[in-house]
């Protein structure tokens, strides 16, 4: 097995550090999911954090409730870490498989009337709230 070059290792550490800082900022500002905050609707990964918190508390059935694909996260991380050692064709196939799986589950959860984890409510997004705010300000000048 060949060793990873130092520049690739440093690059991966930088990405991990940036990701960690972003997560800390989102937690400190109490924004949670940035996609839901900005747009008002859930992303395909919605519920993953809560699912993993349930796993750490040994509540596996509740973890499946929050996101049925939580168990794939460690596998996806391993695939990303060892990308250089995986043949390109296999890597591309895995990425496409993961994307199709997450998007399929996302739409199933979005269309399920009993699911209150994944939702679409544009009025909760910052874009809509900003639009309403600007509209009110503009109406004062007319």
């Amino acid at each position: 097995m060949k060793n990873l070059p130092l520049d690739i290792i440093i690059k991966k550490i930088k990405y991990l550090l940036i990701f960690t800082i972003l997560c800390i900022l989102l937690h400190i500002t109490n924004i949670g999911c940035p996609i839901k905050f900005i747009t008002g609707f859930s992303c395909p990964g919605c519920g993953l954090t809560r699912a993993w918190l349930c796993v750490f508390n040994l509540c596996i059935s509740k973890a499946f409730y929050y996101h049925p694909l939580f168990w794939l996260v460690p596998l996806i991380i391993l695939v990303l870490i060892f990308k250089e050692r995986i043949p390109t064709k296999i890597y591309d196939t895995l990425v496409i498989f993961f994307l199709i799986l997450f998007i399929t589950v996302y739409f199933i959860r979005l269309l399920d009337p009993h699911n209150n984890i994944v939702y679409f409510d544009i009025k909760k997004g910052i874009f809509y709230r900003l639009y309403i705010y600007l509209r009110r300000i503009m109406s004062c000048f007319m």
Side-chain angles (χ1 to χ4, degrees), residues 113-131:
H114 303 293
N115 186 314
N116 60 359
I117 305 296
V118 177
Y119 65 85
F120 179 81
D121 187 358
I122 198 164
K123 291 182 179 180
K124 289 186 177 182
I126 193 74
F127 284 151
Y128 180 80
R129 289 183 278 169
L130 185 61
Y131 165 74

Side-chain angles (χ1 to χ4, degrees), residues 13-137:
I13 291 172
K14 284 181 183 178
Y15 287 143
L16 183 62
L17 184 62
I18 290 169
F19 177 75
T20 304
I21 290 169
L22 286 174
C23 287
I24 290 169
L25 285 174
L26 290 173
H27 181 71
I28 289 172
T29 58
N30 203 23
I31 288 176
C33 176
I35 293 173
K36 193 182 284 188
F37 177 76
I38 293 170
T39 63
F41 57 91
S42 308
C43 70
C46 189
L48 278 173
T49 302
R50 289 172 281 180
W52 276 100
L53 290 172
C54 288
V55 168
F56 295 141
N57 288 310
L58 302 177
C59 300
I60 305 302
S61 62
K62 203 170 182 182
F64 276 102
Y65 167 75
Y66 282 119
H67 201 295
L69 299 178
F70 73 91
W71 54 273
L72 274 178
V73 173
L75 183 59
I76 292 169
I77 290 171
L78 286 174
V79 167
L80 292 173
I81 288 173
F82 296 107
K83 177 183 176 182
E84 287 81 16
R85 296 183 182 190
I86 299 173
T88 305
K89 195 170 187 176
I90 293 174
Y91 176 79
D92 292 344
T93 304
L94 285 171
V95 168
I96 291 169
F97 171 73
F98 292 144
L99 286 173
I100 289 172
L101 196 56
F102 267 83
I103 290 170
T104 302
V105 169
Y106 172 67
F107 281 112
I108 290 170
R109 294 172 75 200
L110 193 60
L111 298 173
D112 180 6
H114 303 293
N115 186 314
N116 60 359
I117 305 296
V118 177
Y119 65 85
F120 179 81
D121 187 358
I122 198 164
K123 291 182 179 180
K124 289 186 177 182
I126 193 74
F127 284 151
Y128 180 80
R129 289 183 278 169
L130 185 61
Y131 165 74
I132 295 299
Y133 178 74
L134 291 174
R135 203 169 93 187
R136 285 182 188 153
I137 290 174

